[in-house]
């Protein structure tokens, strides 16, 4: 909620296919695309929604820091 994906219109159930032209086949692949130099950039993503491929633009921001409980 309120993160870069949500602001770009990516919804629960959407499948991220590519980001910045790179295939996203796993969480590790996504993390390798989103290195620290990506912050502040706008990247194009291809998503699969309801069987249809769509393109969205995502403004990349810093990952939130999780607080240890």
């Amino acid at each position: 909620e309120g993160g870069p994906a949500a602001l770009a219109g990516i919804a629960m159930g959407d499948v991220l296919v590519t980001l910045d032209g790179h295939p996203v086949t796993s969480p590790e692949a996504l993390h390798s695309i989103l290195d620290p130099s990506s912050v502040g950039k706008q990247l194009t993503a291809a998503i699969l929604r309801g069987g249809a491929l769509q393109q969205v633009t995502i403004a990349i921001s810093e990952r939130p820091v999780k607080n240890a409980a």
Side-chain angles (χ1 to χ4, degrees):
E1 239 176 73
L7 294 173
I10 296 175
M12 184 72 76
D14 290 346
V15 177
L16 185 58
V17 179
T18 65
L19 182 62
D20 197 30
H22 302 281
V24 179
T25 56
S26 67
E28 293 78 17
L30 177 61
H31 290 284
S32 70
I33 298 166
L34 295 175
D35 63 33
S37 69
S38 300
V39 174
K41 294 181 180 177
Q42 299 230 357
L43 302 181
T44 301
I47 61 170
L48 191 59
R49 177 180 291 163
L53 197 59
Q54 300 180 17
Q55 290 207 346
V56 296
T57 301
I58 303 174
I60 306 301
S61 61
E62 289 187 29
R63 292 180 66 186
V65 176
K66 293 187 179 188
N67 294 328

